[in-house]
Amino acid sequence: MAKQNMLGIKACTGLMLGANVGTCVTGMLAAIGQTREAVRLAVALLLVRIVATAMVLPLQDYFNDLVAMLCGVSATSTDPAEVTIFLATSHTVFNCILAFSAMPFTSQWAAVVRMILPDESHRPSRLTSVRISKATDKKPQKLRASRSYGASPPSGSSGASTSTPKS
């Protein structure tokens, strides 16, 4: 789009910021079904990039001037070659600033992510119990309570295991 003169420098910054946040979707999808740490990493990356994007948006003109100075183009240029260089440079500059500004706060950021996604042992549990009986038993047996997370089980299902307790 930049080479076809369809994109200006100001639009490049918005496109670059959106692409930085959008690439986190890949990490979120890859974290599905993975360990808690993998999910935390994907969430942390998404949140850091959202916060960084929110901080750059009000300062977009200053950011554009900085990037234009670094790559030697005019901040108001519409030349497709200069806009392309600006787009690539702005992406690099944004990620370098993000990395260097986030490093001193990694401990605090990790605490926030752990608060959002606590360990499994800290999750509240809801205990349920059911009574089942075998066809040959006359007296129903009470099962041990099982842990159930999330929404209540669908109607007609108990949400508990059907195995009998050890005697």
Side-chain angles (χ1 to χ4, degrees), residues 20-21 24 44-53 55-56 63 91-106 109:
N20 265 291
V21 173
C24 295
L45 180 62
L46 176 66
L47 292 177
V48 163
R49 287 198 177 166
I50 287 173
V51 168
T53 297
M55 291 173 73
V56 167
F63 180 78
H91 182 76
T92 303
V93 168
F94 174 79
N95 284 305
C96 287
I97 290 172
L98 173 61
F100 288 120
S101 62
M103 273 195 266
F105 304 104
T106 54
W109 197 250

Side-chain angles (χ1 to χ4, degrees), residues 152-158:
S152 59
S155 61
S157 72
S158 63

